């Protein structure tokens, strides 16, 4: 998904972090299953193909992790510290706005408003910059 090529909301763009995290988790499970499948096998051709598959899955995990890391870096480019914090808690740590409010000792309404402002700043600073490229 590339925000520069298609119009995408900041919220939807940031939700990619969770999507990538879920894919990484699934790929790790798949990789472990492949390792389990090749244990005790003696057919060298089959074992080699399974090892190649395990290697490809490892490469996919690295690609997904890089995308996740890129988006986290974009969050950290924001100028307002509270905006960075709120987006990090919401989209990287996957906390609800209510959880964030309780942990930060803020009201829910304040966190909701802050989240909205942070999304606007992210859209203006990151997504608009991508469109210019």
């Amino acid at each position: 998904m590339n925000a520069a090529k298609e119009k995408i909301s900041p919220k939807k763009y940031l939700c990619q972090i969770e999507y990538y995290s879920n894919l990484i988790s699934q790929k790790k499970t798949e990789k472990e299953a492949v390792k389990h499948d090749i244990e005790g096998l003696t057919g060298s051709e089959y074992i080699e193909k399974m090892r190649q598959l395990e290697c490809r899955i490892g490469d996919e995990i690295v690609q997904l992790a890089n995308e996740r890391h890129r988006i986290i870096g974009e969050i950290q480019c924001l100028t307002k510290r509270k905006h960075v914090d709120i987006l990090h808690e919401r989209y990287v740590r996957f906390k609800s706005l209510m959880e964030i409010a309780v942990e930060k000792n803020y009201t829910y309404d304040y966190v909701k408003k802050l989240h909205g402002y942070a999304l606007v700043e992210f859209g203006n600073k990151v997504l608009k910059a991508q469109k210019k490229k």
Side-chain angles (χ1 to χ4, degrees):
M1 209 179 289
N2 188 343
K5 293 182 181 172
E6 67 179 79
K7 186 165 174 109
I8 185 171
S9 72
K11 189 174 186 176
K12 189 173 182 180
Y13 183 83
L14 291 168
C15 282
Q16 292 177 101
I17 295 172
E18 186 170 18
Y19 173 74
Y20 290 136
S21 294
N22 288 337
L23 286 178
I24 289 167
S25 180
Q26 292 168 0
K27 291 293 180 182
K28 285 179 178 177
T29 301
E30 183 181 351
K31 189 174 178 182
E32 287 305 311
V34 168
K35 281 183 187 177
H36 178 73
D37 289 346
I38 63 174
E39 285 178 5
L41 296 176
T42 55
S44 61
E45 185 177 328
Y46 179 76
I47 292 171
E48 183 56 33
K49 286 186 189 270
M50 292 300 279
R51 284 198 178 122
Q52 287 173 359
L53 177 60
E54 184 184 89
C55 211
R56 278 199 314 267
I57 293 169
D59 291 344
E60 290 173 11
I61 290 170
V62 169
Q63 289 174 330
L64 293 168
N66 284 337
E67 283 300 303
R68 183 178 181 274
H69 180 72
R70 178 186 55 77
I71 296 170
I72 291 169
E74 290 170 343
I75 290 171
Q76 294 170 340
C77 287
L78 300 181
T79 54
K80 296 188 178 175
R81 186 81 242 146
K82 284 186 179 182
H83 291 180
V84 172
D85 290 344
I86 207 88
L87 294 181
H88 187 271
E89 292 296 312
R90 178 69 188 101
Y91 297 102
V92 178
R93 300 192 70 209
F94 315 122
K95 293 181 181 176
S96 70
L97 296 180
M98 183 58 79
E99 288 175 301
I100 297 167
V102 169
E103 287 180 10
K104 301 251 183 222
N105 207 23
Y106 295 153
T107 66
Y108 174 76
D109 288 336
Y110 178 70
V111 170
K112 190 174 169 184
K113 190 179 289 189
L114 190 60
H115 177 252
Y117 291 144
L119 289 174
V120 169
E121 183 187 3
F122 186 85
N124 289 337
K125 185 164 186 165
V126 176
L127 298 183
K128 284 186 180 177
Q130 286 180 354
K131 288 179 185 176
K132 292 179 184 178
K133 290 181 183 180

